[in-house]
Amino acid sequence: MIDYAFKPRHSKIKSGRFLIFSHTLVTFLPPYTSHSECAYTLFVVAIFWLTEALPLGVSALIPAFMFPLFGIMSSKQVASAYFKDFHLLLIGVICLAASIEKWKLHKRVALRMVMLVGVNPAWLTLGFMVSCSFLSMWLSNTSAAAMVMPIVEAVAQQIITAESEVDALEMSYSNGSTNPGLELDENIIECETSEWKEKAKEQNLPPAETGRKSREDKYNGIFKAMCLCIAYSATIGGWTTLTGTSTNLIFAEQFNTRYPDCQCINFGSWFVLSIPITVIILLLSWIWLQWLFLGFDFKSMFKCGKEKSAREKASARVIQEEYNKLGPISYPEIVTLVLFILMTLLWFTRDPGFIPGWSSLFPKYKGFATDSTTALVIGLLFFIIPTKPLSRTSNGENTGFGYTPLITWKEFQSCMPWEIAFLVGGGFALAEGCEVSNLSAWVGSKLTPLGSLPLWLIILISCIIVTSVTEVASNAATITIFLPILSPLAEAIHVNPLFILIPATLCTSFAFLLPVSNPSNAIVFSYGHLSVMDMVKAGLGINIISVAVVMLGIMTWMVPLFDLYTYPSWAPIISSTNNTGL
C-alpha cells in the first residue's frame, strides 16, 4: 500500500527554511513567457521537495496559486487537477489496510508464512522476506516493516540465547568436560571447535580469543542479516502491485492523464510485468545478504532428516508462541480476508486483456469503471459490515448487540496519508501546467538529439539518475519531478513512452542505501543492530542487482507484453523542427 512516512531530515534544515524559501523565489525569477513561468514553478516546487524546506504537502500547494498568478491556468482548472481517480483508489485501499491492521490479520499471515518455511536460519530469513514483501503489496511498506521487526527481534534474541548455550558447551567440551544439561548436536560442536583452532593457528591468537571473536561476528551477522532482510523486502514487495506504493499510483494516474487513449496500465498488467522482477530481486537479495553476513552453507540449508539445532528449536518456539497469542481466527479477520480476496479478484478480472473482464458487462459505459470503482465498493463495506455476526437464541429470536462496523471513520482518518494525497495532487497540477504552457513540447524539442544514443543506454542512464536521486529525496517527489521530463524525452526520440517510464518508475523505489532513504530503512536502523556502513555496503549491492534485473526485464519479457518496439498510436508525434525558445 501507500507509504505514510517520508525520510527524516536533520533538524538543522529546519532553521534554514526561510532562507531557502526566499532565496529560491527571488534568485530564479523567470522571463515573462508561459512555458518559462511554468518551468520556474516546477523548479521552485522541485527545490522545496528535494530539500524539504517546507512540508511536502505544503510545497505541493504552490502551483495552486502560482499558475493563476502567471496566467497559466485558472484557479478552477488547477483545483480540478488536485483530485483525481488516484485519490478514490487511495481511499478504498486505506479502508482495507485499516481493517487488516486493526484486527491483526497481517501478523497472523506473516507468522504462518514463516512457520511454513521452517526455522533453519537461511530459510527463516527467506520466510521473513517473503512474508514482509507479501504484506507490503497491500499495506504500507512502513507498516509492514514496523509489524514484522518486533517478531524478528524476538526470534534473533532467542537464537543468540541458544548460541550462548552452544558456546558454553563448546568451552566445556574443549576443556575435556561435558554438561549433560545441554542437549546439543556434538557433531556441530566438534566441527566448530576445530574450525576455531585452525583460525587460532593462522592468526597466532589463543583459541579462546579466536572463539570469542568468531562468536561476536556470528551474533552480529545474524542480527544484521535479519534486520536488513525486513527493510529491503518491505520495499521490494511494495512495487509489485499498482497499489503497493505511492510511486506506482502516481505513475499510473499521470500516464493515463497524459495518454488517455492507452488502456494498457491497470492492476493486472502491472502485476504481470512486476512479479518476475520482484521474485528475482527478492531471491538475489536473500543470497546477497546471506553471503555478506552469514555465509552460504548449502549443506546445512538442504539437510534432511537431521535433528534441529538449539537455535532452530529456539526460533520455532518463539514463532509458535507469538502465533498462539493471536488465538483462533476471529470473525472480523475472516470477513477482512474475504473482502481482501474479493477486491484482488475484481482488480485482476476487470480487464485482464486475454479474456473479457467483468467491465465488458457494461458495454455502453466502456472505460467508466476503473480500479478505484472496485476499491470504493469494497471499502464502503468495511463501514457497513458489523464486527459481530447476528446470533439467535434457542427460541429463534435474534440477540441484540451494539452495532460496530469493521472500521470507524476515526480509524480510517488515522491511516489516511493526507500528505501523500496533497503531494500527488500537486504533481498532477504540475503535469497539467506543463501541457497547457507547452513546456513539455519545448523540453521534447531540446531532448531530440538524445535519439542518437542506443536505447538501452538512454534507459540505463535514466535508471541510474532516478535511483541516485531517490536515495536522498522522497520517492513520491522524485517520480513527480521526473515523469514530466521523461515523457517528452520518449516522444522526442520516437520511442514507446513505456520503454522509459516503467524502468524509471520502478527505480524510484530503489532506496536501499541509507537509513534516511526509506521509512522502512529508518525503522530497522532504529533497533541499533546496524551501522550506516552496513546498510551502504548491503544496499549498494541490492541497488546494482535491482537496476540490472529491471534492465533485463524491460529488454525481454516486457517487450511483447506492451509491444514496446512499436511507437503507439496513443502517443503524440513530436515534430523535430519545433525550436520554441524560452
Side-chain angles (χ1 to χ4, degrees):
M1 217 268 306
I2 313 302
D3 285 333
Y4 307 152
F6 290 96
K7 305 173 178 58
R9 291 288 180 264
H10 198 279
S11 58
K12 289 183 178 179
I13 293 180
K14 297 180 180 179
S15 62
R17 283 181 176 177
F18 179 76
L19 180 62
I20 295 175
F21 182 81
S22 57
H23 180 75
T24 303
L25 289 178
V26 174
T27 305
F28 302 100
L29 283 174
Y32 295 103
T33 60
S34 60
H35 40 284
S36 62
E37 290 167 341
C38 183
Y40 169 71
T41 305
L42 176 62
F43 184 79
V44 168
V45 174
I47 290 295
F48 290 155
W49 276 344
L50 293 175
T51 61
E52 295 188 29
L54 295 175
L56 294 173
V58 175
S59 300
L61 296 174
I62 291 177
F65 68 84
M66 293 189 75
F67 281 174
L69 291 178
F70 285 142
I72 297 172
M73 297 170 66
S74 67
S75 292
K76 289 185 177 181
Q77 289 176 307
V78 179
S80 65
Y82 272 84
F83 196 90
K84 297 283 188 180
D85 187 60
F86 159 86
H87 295 86
L88 299 177
L89 178 61
L90 178 63
I91 290 171
V93 172
I94 293 297
C95 292
L96 171 65
S99 183
I100 289 176
E101 293 186 26
K102 177 181 178 179
W103 301 109
K104 294 183 173 58
L105 178 61
H106 55 329
K107 188 172 184 179
R108 186 180 298 275
V109 171
L111 290 172
R112 174 56 67 181
M113 293 180 71
V114 171
M115 290 166 66
L116 287 175
V117 299
V119 293
N120 180 283
W123 294 119
L124 187 63
T125 303
L126 181 62
F128 278 125
M129 292 186 75
V130 171
S131 60
C132 189
S133 60
F134 176 78
L135 291 175
S136 65
M137 293 180 191
W138 319 102
L139 300 173
S140 160
N141 301 353
T142 310
S143 297
M147 186 277 298
V148 179
M149 263 309 296
I151 304 173
V152 173
E153 178 78 4
V155 170
Q157 291 288 358
Q158 288 296 319
I159 290 177
I160 299 306
T161 301
E163 290 285 352
S164 299
E165 295 178 357
V166 174
D167 295 336
L169 187 57
E170 284 170 352
M171 293 301 294
S172 62
Y173 181 84
S174 62
N175 293 330
S177 61
T178 58
N179 185 348
L182 298 175
E183 299 178 357
L184 300 171
D185 192 334
E186 294 186 1
N187 293 328
I188 296 176
I189 296 168
E190 184 177 358
C191 178
E192 292 186 355
T193 304
S194 62
E195 288 178 0
W196 288 352
K197 288 179 179 179
E198 289 295 326
K199 289 181 180 179
K201 291 179 181 178
E202 294 175 2
Q203 301 178 11
N204 296 321
L205 293 174
E209 181 69 15
T210 304
R212 185 183 63 80
K213 289 185 177 181
S214 179
R215 290 193 296 272
E216 289 179 356
D217 292 341
K218 180 169 59 176
Y219 298 163
N220 291 334
I222 290 172
F223 274 117
K224 290 175 182 179
M226 287 193 169
C227 288
L228 288 173
C229 82
I230 298 304
Y232 297 154
S233 59
T235 301
I236 292 170
W239 72 59
T240 309
T241 59
L242 199 59
T243 58
T245 186
S246 58
T247 54
N248 294 356
L249 285 172
I250 293 169
F251 158 73
E253 185 62 34
Q254 290 208 18
F255 181 84
N256 292 330
T257 301
R258 187 178 181 89
Y259 308 108
D261 294 334
C262 177
Q263 302 296 325
C264 55
I265 297 297
N266 53 47
F267 187 91
S269 64
W270 184 269
F271 187 83
V272 170
L273 77 88
S274 63
I275 192 63
I277 294 176
T278 298
V279 172
I280 295 173
I281 293 178
L282 196 68
L283 289 175
L284 292 180
S285 300
W286 171 59
I287 293 172
W288 167 249
L289 292 175
Q290 286 292 311
W291 178 81
L292 196 61
F293 295 109
L294 297 177
F296 211 75
D297 188 357
F298 284 97
K299 184 177 179 180
S300 63
M301 284 176 58
F302 296 100
K303 62 184 179 181
C304 298
K306 193 173 182 180
E307 187 178 353
K308 294 179 181 178
S309 66
R311 66 180 178 184
E312 291 174 344
K313 292 178 181 178
S315 301
R317 184 171 61 252
V318 171
I319 294 171
Q320 188 64 51
E321 288 175 357
E322 288 291 323
Y323 189 82
N324 292 339
K325 289 178 184 178
L326 297 175
I329 189 168
S330 62
Y331 170 77
E333 285 181 275
I334 295 173
V335 175
T336 301
L337 180 60
V338 171
L339 292 178
F340 162 71
I341 295 173
L342 181 60
M343 180 184 285
T344 306
L345 289 176
L346 290 174
W347 273 339
F348 273 112
T349 58
R350 178 177 66 85
D351 188 15
F354 55 92
I355 58 172
W358 60 261
S359 60
S360 62
L361 299 175
F362 310 96
K364 292 184 179 180
Y365 311 109
K366 186 177 181 180
F368 278 45
T370 64
D371 289 336
S372 64
T373 308
T374 298
L376 284 176
V377 170
I378 301 298
L380 182 64
L381 294 178
F382 286 102
F383 292 98
I384 298 175
I385 299 176
T387 57
K388 296 180 180 179
L390 187 65
S391 58
R392 295 178 181 273
T393 63
S394 57
N395 298 328
E397 298 179 354
N398 295 332
T399 58
F401 64 93
Y403 174 78
T404 305
L406 288 172
I407 61 171
T408 63
W409 180 251
K410 284 187 177 181
E411 290 164 344
F412 166 79
Q413 280 188 309
S414 65
C415 290
M416 181 66 184
W418 296 108
E419 189 174 36
I420 280 284
F422 281 111
L423 184 141
V424 174
F428 296 153
L430 284 173
E432 194 165 329
C434 290
E435 289 296 314
V436 173
S437 65
N438 292 322
L439 177 62
S440 295
W442 181 86
V443 171
S445 67
K446 299 302 179 183
L447 295 176
T448 303
L450 292 178
S452 59
L453 296 175
L455 179 59
W456 67 267
L457 183 58
I458 296 174
I459 298 173
L460 180 61
I461 291 173
S462 63
C463 287
I464 292 174
I465 293 174
V466 170
T467 302
S468 301
V469 173
T470 200
E471 295 287 359
V472 295
S474 161
N475 299 354
T478 302
I479 190 67
T480 305
I481 292 169
F482 277 96
L483 281 179
I485 298 173
L486 297 177
S487 296
L489 168 61
E491 296 164 7
I493 62 178
H494 207 69
V495 168
N496 191 322
L498 291 172
F499 230 139
I500 297 178
L501 297 183
I502 289 177
T505 300
L506 290 170
C507 286
T508 54
S509 296
F510 296 169
F512 302 116
L513 210 57
L514 300 169
V516 298
S517 297
N518 197 300
S520 56
N521 291 6
I523 288 174
V524 169
F525 189 79
S526 67
Y527 277 76
H529 302 306
L530 297 167
S531 67
V532 174
M533 285 309 300
D534 289 330
M535 192 162 280
V536 170
K537 182 170 59 175
L540 183 61
I542 295 183
N543 267 338
I544 294 172
I545 290 171
S546 301
V547 172
V549 173
V550 167
M551 289 297 298
L552 173 66
I554 198 66
M555 305 305 292
T556 54
W557 66 80
M558 294 187 201
V559 173
L561 188 62
F562 298 107
D563 194 17
L564 294 181
Y565 283 125
T566 302
Y567 191 76
S569 58
W570 43 260
I573 305 296
I574 302 297
S575 173
S576 60
T577 59
N578 185 357
N579 294 317
T580 305
L582 274 175

